[in-house]
Amino acid sequence: MFQAGLIKYLEVSVTENQANRSFLPLNHFENTAIPVECWKTDKHLMNMNEKAPTDQAEYRHGTTTLRRVAFITNPTAGKGRGRKTARLAREHLRARGLELAEFPADTPAAVIESTRAASTDPAIDAIVSCGGDGMLSLVLQAQVGSGKPLGVIPSGTGNDHARHYGIPLDPRGAAEVIAAGHWQETDLGLATFNTPPALNNTFLGSPAAGQGQRPANNHGSKPDDNPAQTQQRWFSTIACVGFDQLVNEKTTEISWPKGSLRYMLALLIIISQFRPYPVRVSIDDRELPYRELSLIAVANTSSYGGGTRIAPQASTRDGRFAVTALPAMARRRAIRLLAGLKFGDITGDSRFIFDTGQRVVVQMGDLTPIADGEPLGSGQVTLEVRPRAGLFLVAPPGS
């Protein structure tokens, strides 16, 4: 009853705001993307030209005994819960006999540098990210290709990576998953995009460990000599742009109420912005015949925004993205549909567009796409699947 009443309230709000077509300013965050620490020779990674796996049997998994793990934490994650979460997780890991190597991570740059140091330390068996999805995204940039599995102690607001891999949201349960040592190869997404000139100085790394200098572009000049810099970012969950992106960003900003109601409140706040956006989308070089869309999600996992299942058909072990899009439609109809997303299953819903592919190129007006909840650059973004590039500690089968 409450859900139906809130959806009705949203529809009334839309009607009352029809005359006001002004849009709230987008919330732009500092872009912390770094060039990918490209394809190293570790055996769990594929060659750039390698054929995508054809079935899940080609993805390795197993169990290993962990003795010493790198513990990288962000005490500000989860609206201040991070410090307590980290303490409880440490206690459980030590009780299970693991030795913790603490790595400082006070800034995004420190997270990446700490992860690099842990990745090259032969005494480290695994890397643990204690924080939210944003923290995990930073750790991922330097962990890929290291051959060390990545475990997660979720203490953020969305925690969609943890939800997908069956990792408990309580710190002791998540720590037990790490202590169990069950690892799995997965797909990752790789986003290629341009950062605006104002963000070029936020570069946080080099293209290969140990070079110690910022990369040149394809013409050999330094990034600051150019109006924009091409960057890349790994992502483990979903890249999206459009109305869902705006709601997702707002959801992560809100501390109250909790759970599903937070998503509904974010939907209400963003309601005055709703409109279809001009778009160009191609999937595996096949251009889609849509000139306007309300949203598009390119998914490796099934949910975002704290459990909103935008891509129930997604798999992290098939070498393909699941693509979900919503066509342009009347505002009231779209709001009812989007509000119901949090509570229902859209599998087979003819009002949505479903597709799959290994390479998606998208540009939606002047919006900035996000991946793993973090902003990418403006303009055209290219999203590619990298099969078996992910190596995570996950809940054991049947747990």
Side-chain angles (χ1 to χ4, degrees), residues 32-35 37 72 103-119 127 134-143 202-206 233:
T32 57
I34 65 169
E37 293 225 55
I72 303 173
F103 282 80
D106 298 331
T107 65
V111 172
I112 293 172
E113 291 305 318
S114 294
T115 306
R116 283 190 180 134
S119 296
I127 298 170
M135 173 80 165
L136 176 63
S137 176
L138 288 169
V139 173
L140 186 67
Q141 308 311 310
Q143 176 265 346
T202 64
F203 175 81
L204 294 176
S206 60
R233 182 192 287 274

Side-chain angles (χ1 to χ4, degrees), residues 41-288:
T41 58
D42 303 272
K43 59 184 178 181
H44 80 278
L45 286 178
M46 66 173 283
N47 182 277
M48 282 288 215
N49 299 317
E50 186 177 343
K51 184 179 179 181
T54 57
D55 59 65
Q56 295 187 359
E58 297 185 41
Y59 289 78
R60 297 188 307 158
H61 64 92
T63 302
T64 187
T65 299
L66 302 178
R67 295 178 176 83
R68 179 178 170 86
V69 300
F71 197 84
I72 303 173
T73 187
N74 174 14
T76 66
K79 311 298 183 184
R81 296 191 306 271
R83 195 181 304 275
K84 179 180 179 181
T85 297
R87 176 176 57 82
L88 294 174
R90 286 188 184 99
E91 290 174 356
H92 189 88
L93 290 171
R94 287 174 177 142
R96 292 282 272 108
L98 275 71
E99 181 183 354
L100 305 186
E102 301 283 351
F103 282 80
D106 298 331
T107 65
V111 172
I112 293 172
E113 291 305 318
S114 294
T115 306
R116 283 190 180 134
S119 296
T120 57
D121 186 339
I124 297 294
D125 299 318
I127 298 170
V128 175
S129 169
C130 181
D133 288 336
M135 173 80 165
L136 176 63
S137 176
L138 288 169
V139 173
L140 186 67
Q141 308 311 310
Q143 176 265 346
V144 172
S146 69
K148 301 181 189 296
L150 174 58
V152 178
I153 305 292
S155 64
T157 53
N159 302 316
D160 288 293
H161 175 97
R163 293 173 194 274
H164 181 84
Y165 288 105
I167 299 170
L169 300 185
D170 71 280
R172 293 185 180 92
E176 181 58 31
V177 168
I178 292 168
H182 185 75
W183 56 269
Q184 183 179 96
E185 291 180 334
T186 74
D187 297 334
L188 289 180
L190 179 61
T192 303
F193 54 94
N194 290 324
T195 55
L199 296 178
N200 279 353
N201 289 328
T202 64
F203 175 81
L204 294 176
S206 60
Q211 285 189 349
Q213 62 181 7
R214 296 173 64 178
N217 65 10
N218 292 337
H219 302 287
S221 57
K222 293 293 182 65
D224 287 344
D225 298 332
N226 298 280
Q229 179 184 336
T230 298
Q231 293 197 22
Q232 293 182 302
R233 182 192 287 274
W234 295 107
F235 63 97
S236 70
T237 59
I238 295 176
C240 63
V241 63
F243 187 73
D244 56 339
Q245 161 219 336
L246 301 177
V247 174
N248 185 58
E249 287 180 354
K250 183 58 64 176
T251 300
T252 62
E253 297 173 14
I254 298 172
S255 59
W256 184 92
K258 304 297 183 182
S260 298
L261 293 182
R262 185 175 61 183
Y263 175 87
M264 300 299 287
L265 178 58
L267 186 63
L268 176 61
I269 293 172
I270 300 297
I271 199 75
S272 63
Q273 292 181 285
F274 181 77
R275 60 183 172 95
Y277 295 91
V279 66
R280 292 194 65 179
V281 182
S282 68
I283 300 177
D284 294 340
D285 297 323
R286 168 175 50 89
E287 187 161 347
L288 301 191

Side-chain angles (χ1 to χ4, degrees), residues 191-194 360-363 369 376-383:
T192 303
F193 54 94
N194 290 324
V360 180
V361 181
V362 60
Q363 180 171 356
L376 306 175
S378 58
Q380 179 175 292
V381 175
T382 299
L383 308 167

Side-chain angles (χ1 to χ4, degrees), residues 308-352:
T308 302
R309 287 176 57 82
I310 187 66
Q313 75 278 29
S315 170
T316 58
R317 305 182 76 194
D318 64 356
R320 302 183 70 81
F321 287 128
V323 182
T324 302
L326 183 65
M329 60 178 60
R331 190 180 288 197
R332 291 183 65 176
R333 181 185 178 199
I335 294 307
R336 175 173 285 274
L337 191 59
L338 290 167
L341 252 182
K342 187 69 176 180
F343 304 95
D345 186 352
I346 64 172
T347 303
D349 191 324
S350 61
R351 294 168 294 184
F352 286 88

